[in-house]
Amino acid sequence: MAETMAPEQVVAFLNAYFSEMVDAVLEQEGMLDKFLGDGLMAVFGSFGDQPDHAAAPVLASLRMKALLAKKSTANVR
């Protein structure tokens, strides 16, 4: 995808993508560890008492998947 876009477009796309993905992590009280190319690493349940620490990353990933599906559909149009 990046090969067909101008560098400015790639940066804008990644900024929007990462903003949504980080929000999905933070909504579930996760902590962003680092960015890895076009991905990210997040940690859940390591800081403080989070009773649903096992469910939080699953819920965050489902939210991410829904956001990606929405973004993919928007790019097809």
Side-chain angles (χ1 to χ4, degrees), residues 33-52:
D33 182 20
K34 59 185 146 194
F35 293 104
L36 304 160
D38 62 353
L40 57 88
M41 182 180 292
V43 179
F44 295 86
S46 293
F47 304 97
D49 185 26
Q50 189 177 14
D52 62 341

Side-chain angles (χ1 to χ4, degrees), residues 42-66:
V43 179
F44 295 86
S46 293
F47 304 97
D49 185 26
Q50 189 177 14
D52 62 341
H53 68 275
V58 174
L59 294 172
S61 66
L62 290 173
R63 176 79 174 131
M64 291 173 170
K65 187 175 178 181

Side-chain angles (χ1 to χ4, degrees), residues 2-72:
E3 292 175 354
T4 64
M5 299 167 73
E8 296 81 11
Q9 290 175 307
V10 174
V11 170
F13 178 84
L14 286 174
N15 284 339
Y17 164 78
F18 280 129
S19 291
E20 291 180 339
M21 298 302 118
V22 170
D23 286 348
V25 169
L26 297 178
E27 285 171 4
Q28 296 302 321
E29 298 181 23
M31 177 178 260
L32 178 67
D33 182 20
K34 59 185 146 194
F35 293 104
L36 304 160
D38 62 353
L40 57 88
M41 182 180 292
V43 179
F44 295 86
S46 293
F47 304 97
D49 185 26
Q50 189 177 14
D52 62 341
H53 68 275
V58 174
L59 294 172
S61 66
L62 290 173
R63 176 79 174 131
M64 291 173 170
K65 187 175 178 181
L67 289 166
L68 285 173
K70 179 180 166 186
K71 193 172 270 305
S72 296

